[in-house]
Amino acid sequence: FGRPRRGARRGARPAAHPTAARTASVPLGPVRVEPVVSRRQLEAFIDLPWEIYRGDVDWVPPLKRDVRAAFDPSKHPFHRHSEAQPFLAVRGDRPVGRICAIRNRNHEAFHDEPVGFFGWFECMDDTEASTALFDTVRAWLDERGLRVMRGPTSFSTNETSGLLIAGEPGPPVLMMAHNPPYYPRLLASYGFEKAKDLLAWMIDDQTPPEYLLRAEKLVTRRYKATVRSLDTDRFDEELATIRRLYNAAWERNWGFVPMTDEEFDHMARELRPILDPRLALFVHDEDERPIGFALALPDFNQVLRRLNGKLGPVGLIKALILRRRIGRMRVLILGLLEEYRGKGLDALLYLALIRNGTARGIVECEQSWILEDNEKMNAAIARLGGRMYRRYRLYDAVV
């Protein structure tokens, strides 16, 4: 989907961030960890990344209102079935780290394992502060009978997950992680070990491979399969179909947790303003039954990095202008019901994404994240001309 960035290097580690050498700015004094219970503490929790990432040209500031809403039980449906407790690490009167302890009861029930999570982790290059934060989460999970601390996730693997450990420099795409290069060292010093790596692939050639064109003719003739775009006039009905396909097609994936109806609707509302129906695709069998789905989103991070966390009237006008210039998309979902896999039907989805993406000016496409041991999917993306350009990691520690 377009041209590779000038200077991009395969397999290169992220460029060193200014935050990597900022240990001298860590204030002196003992660390204390406070549960976030007041509005003032929540604002400090939200604001801390602006201190951590000051001068980091690749960081994409989140919208502060979105982070605030994520911790509002009346706005985020995760809190209706599970628990999340944010914490701040403070030296003197200055926050130096943050974390969130997470109990995902749906994960416990679906996988029948006593695993708890941590997320929203940000910290100065300060082992004492990171250790205090991890100790606090470990104790919180232990009180609830959970025996493994896994992360980072926020709040589940259906949202932003993993720590960036290697890859090409540059800003992250929508809903993907970005962090200073010293974070893996902070986790390793605490005893965290690898649970699973998550891969991100970049495709920067918009020419459809010849084998996809041949496969399109073959499977269309053999299976009478068709592809269509999402119908926004029937959005609720379409959403119900997507939810059914998603929970059925991905249920065997490591770490997968089915989303509740409320969670699915919440995410759909969050993403709908940036959704392009041409990039939300269904594949149907000869009886016109939906058997697979693909969703790519324009990389709205290209807009967010210019807003500095705020979306007031001026920011909204800027966003409306900048969104027309988005040249990258992220494929979040692409899959088929199990009985239709291995028949080449995924070629129809890939081709439609390439054609429709190119028509709207997309020149780069990230497919992420893919489990490192999902050999079939990784091989398929490599055959499309993708390069594995970033690696993320989920970690485990015994509670």
Side-chain angles (χ1 to χ4, degrees):
F1 286 68
R3 300 172 298 279
R5 287 192 314 278
R6 186 173 299 173
R9 295 174 292 138
R10 296 190 184 190
R13 290 187 59 79
H17 303 304
T19 51
R22 292 185 58 209
T23 50
S25 68
V26 176
L28 300 176
V31 175
R32 68 182 187 277
V33 177
E34 305 172 346
V36 174
V37 294
S38 69
R39 178 64 179 264
R40 177 189 61 80
Q41 289 171 316
L42 180 59
E43 293 306 311
F45 182 96
I46 293 170
D47 289 342
L48 180 61
W50 272 259
E51 175 72 12
I52 301 287
Y53 295 97
R54 184 182 302 166
D56 181 351
V57 296
D58 289 339
W59 181 56
V60 178
L63 289 178
K64 290 186 177 183
R65 70 175 193 182
D66 288 349
V67 182
R68 201 172 291 118
F71 288 95
D72 185 339
S74 69
K75 294 182 179 179
H76 199 298
F78 177 84
H79 304 286
R80 306 211 224 296
H81 60 74
S82 295
E83 299 176 64
Q85 175 59 60
F87 296 93
L88 271 175
V90 180
R91 283 187 189 273
D93 61 355
R94 182 177 170 189
V96 293
R98 76 178 198 186
I99 203 167
C100 184
I102 300 165
R103 180 177 191 179
N104 189 333
R105 289 192 178 89
N106 286 357
H107 178 98
E108 293 172 47
F110 189 77
H111 292 279
D112 191 25
E113 58 179 8
V115 173
F117 296 86
F118 73 92
W120 307 88
F121 173 72
E122 303 286 0
C123 193
M124 299 284 193
D125 192 356
D126 181 347
T127 304
E128 184 181 356
S130 62
T131 296
L133 288 168
F134 294 136
D135 278 344
T136 300
V137 173
R138 172 179 263 165
W140 191 92
L141 296 176
D142 184 49
E143 289 175 0
R144 288 153 178 81
L146 301 170
R147 296 294 168 252
V148 175
M149 176 167 54
R150 179 172 296 163
T153 64
S154 52
F155 293 109
S156 74
T157 53
N158 292 313
E159 301 179 55
T160 303
S161 299
L163 208 66
L164 176 64
I165 63 167
E168 297 177 9
V173 303
L174 185 70
M175 295 174 64
M176 292 296 287
H178 177 75
N179 50 265
Y182 61 80
Y183 276 18
R185 171 167 48 81
L186 294 182
L187 271 70
S189 70
Y190 191 76
F192 278 100
E193 297 183 348
K194 170 185 170 181
K196 188 76 71 173
D197 279 0
L198 317 172
L199 309 182
W201 294 79
M202 179 60 70
I203 300 175
D204 44 35
D205 183 356
Q206 75 274 32
T207 306
E210 184 61 33
Y211 83 90
L212 276 188
L213 300 174
R214 294 195 302 269
E216 178 185 34
K217 294 178 182 178
L218 178 64
V219 300
T220 301
R221 184 172 63 249
R222 178 177 296 174
Y223 301 108
K224 305 297 188 295
T226 56
V227 174
R228 68 170 179 85
S229 297
L230 181 141
D231 184 350
T232 55
D233 290 335
R234 299 186 299 116
F235 189 79
D236 290 342
E237 183 181 339
E238 298 279 65
L239 189 62
T241 301
I242 297 169
R243 181 167 53 239
R244 178 177 59 80
L245 290 171
Y246 179 75
N247 286 337
W250 278 266
E251 65 178 351
R252 295 182 182 272
N253 281 8
W254 181 90
F256 170 79
V257 181
M259 283 192 276
T260 66
D261 290 355
E262 279 188 298
E263 286 176 314
F264 216 96
D265 291 345
H266 173 79
M267 183 170 286
R269 288 195 304 271
E270 293 284 300
L271 297 178
R272 187 170 184 178
I274 63 173
L275 177 70
D276 185 331
R278 294 172 292 178
L279 303 178
L281 303 167
F282 297 89
V283 58
H284 287 242
D285 65 11
E286 61 181 333
D287 296 321
E288 298 186 357
R289 293 175 300 188
I291 58 173
F293 179 70
L295 173 64
L297 290 173
D299 181 21
F300 202 68
N301 272 8
Q302 295 185 6
V303 175
L304 290 179
R305 66 187 307 211
R306 304 282 296 275
L307 300 182
N308 197 32
K310 300 176 182 178
L311 192 62
V314 174
L316 182 59
I317 294 171
K318 185 185 292 187
L320 292 173
I321 295 171
L322 293 173
R323 68 180 296 167
R324 301 172 190 162
R325 305 173 187 171
I326 294 175
R328 182 186 304 126
M329 68 182 182
R330 178 190 170 197
V331 178
L332 285 82
I333 300 172
L334 192 149
L336 297 156
L337 296 177
E338 188 171 10
E339 61 268 33
Y340 293 95
R341 296 172 193 164
K343 302 179 185 297
L345 292 163
D346 55 338
L348 302 181
L349 293 171
Y350 284 125
L351 268 176
L353 286 175
I354 292 172
R355 289 165 174 161
N356 295 355
T358 301
R360 65 150 289 157
I362 297 295
V363 296
E364 291 183 316
C365 171
E366 177 176 304
Q367 295 206 34
S368 59
W369 43 260
I370 314 297
L371 292 169
E372 61 178 333
D373 51 5
N374 187 341
E375 296 177 359
K376 290 184 178 179
M377 181 62 77
N378 287 312
I381 300 172
R383 192 180 181 195
L384 282 170
R387 67 182 190 278
M388 196 279 285
Y389 87 125
R390 286 179 186 159
R391 181 179 291 266
Y392 302 81
R393 179 163 293 172
L394 285 169
Y395 293 82
D396 278 355
V398 176
V399 173

